[in-house]
Structures are given as structure tokens and as C-alpha cells.
Amino acid sequence: MNETLETFNNQAINLASHGDFAEAIACFKKALSIEQDNYLLWFNMGVTYRDAGDFKKAKAALDRALLLSRSVGRTGEDVIEVLAQMLYTCGNFNASIEYCRRGLYINPVNPRLWNTLGVVFFSNSAYEEAAEAFEHSLTIDPNYYDALFNLRDTYDELGNKAGKEACENALLLINCKEF
């Protein structure tokens, strides 16, 4: 086998997609032994650690990817998205909000980050702030299913029956387009 970064990365992604996380991480480590400052390898390894449930190692790898992203002319927005979602999942809401804001500073028209921010607010029962974040996400991508779904539930919590109904109708239209 020709041991190149691309070969190790592809093999690791394939292994991870089949749930073979330990083997995938071993491939990423082999690749990183060849080129330790490779942004993409750190990012993919961080995602793999996350998927394996090792959030501490995932955060460390993703932080490294974020640091390296700038050296290759990237904004790190993709890394920030993963970190924000992972930190929310781990219950670290304040850190998740901080990463969302950091990402939105880089790209204020990222609907996924607006949606994640709304989810964090919703989880903290800050429904007005959640609605605003979901609405912002939908001004960027009106067909963003997750944001519509979340906004519908937020409007329900706020007692906004007209808003909830509008979201339900929009969700129905999106579902019908799939057929």
C-alpha cells in the first residue's frame, strides 16, 4: 500500500463510517506522523473522536484544527460549527454560545450557526432569543428544515399560534417537495 496522507485519510474516513473508530483514529495518527500540521487530518480526527464519544480528545483535535485552519487560509468556520454543536451536546451551553458567536462574527450568514444558537437558547428556556436566532437562520435559508422545525416548537412555547401554523405549513411544503 502506498502510504500517503490521502490514503490514510480516506481509509480512516471509511473505517469511521463503519463505526471502526479506534482503527480510524490510528490511521489519522499515522497520517499526522507524516504531516503533523495538517488541518484536515486534525479536523477529521476530531470528528471521529466526537463520533466515538470521546469529547475531550475531540475538542483537543478540533482546537488544533481551528488553530491550523488559519495557516492554510481557511476561516475555521467548519470547525467552529462542529465545536458549537458538540459543546451543546455535552451541556456546555456557555461555550457553545461563544463558539456560535465567534463563527457568526466570521460569517454572519451561516444558517447552521444561527440554528445552533437558537437551540442553545431554547434549551435554556430563553424562547424570545431562540425565536430570533431561528428567524435569522430562516432569513438566510427559508427552506432550512431544522430551523423551521425548531421555530415551530419555539412559537408553541411562546403561545404564538399563527407563527406555529405558518411553520407547520412551511414544513409541509418542504416535505411535499421531496416526493
Side-chain angles (χ1 to χ4, degrees), residues 9-30:
N9 187 55
N10 291 340
Q11 183 179 7
I13 290 170
N14 185 47
L15 289 164
S17 72
H18 291 96
D20 297 326
F21 301 118
E23 293 85 358
I25 290 166
C27 283
F28 286 127
K29 287 181 177 180
K30 284 180 187 175

Side-chain angles (χ1 to χ4, degrees), residues 66-142:
L66 185 58
L67 180 68
L68 293 169
S69 67
R70 292 183 190 98
S71 68
V72 293
R74 297 182 62 99
T75 63
E77 183 180 348
D78 51 350
V79 182
I80 290 170
E81 280 185 46
V82 172
L83 282 163
Q85 291 168 354
M86 184 180 73
L87 290 164
Y88 166 76
T89 299
C90 293
N92 192 341
F93 298 151
N94 290 336
S96 180
I97 289 170
E98 182 58 35
Y99 275 103
C100 285
R101 289 186 174 144
R102 187 173 172 184
L104 290 168
Y105 178 79
I106 294 167
N107 180 8
V109 293
N110 181 319
R112 293 170 307 280
L113 282 169
W114 281 110
N115 184 64
T116 300
L117 185 61
V119 168
V120 177
F121 286 143
F122 186 93
S123 295
N124 285 313
S125 301
Y127 301 120
E128 293 289 340
E129 292 88 347
E132 186 177 315
F134 296 135
E135 289 165 353
H136 204 99
S137 177
L138 289 166
T139 62
I140 299 162
D141 182 356

Side-chain angles (χ1 to χ4, degrees), residues 135-170:
E135 289 165 353
H136 204 99
S137 177
L138 289 166
T139 62
I140 299 162
D141 182 356
N143 294 314
Y144 187 10
Y145 189 89
D146 291 350
L148 269 169
F149 186 91
N150 293 331
L151 183 58
R152 180 202 62 191
D153 290 351
T154 304
Y155 282 158
D156 188 40
E157 290 293 330
L158 291 169
N160 181 343
K161 292 179 184 177
K164 179 182 175 184
E165 184 177 339
C167 289
E168 287 173 344
N169 290 335

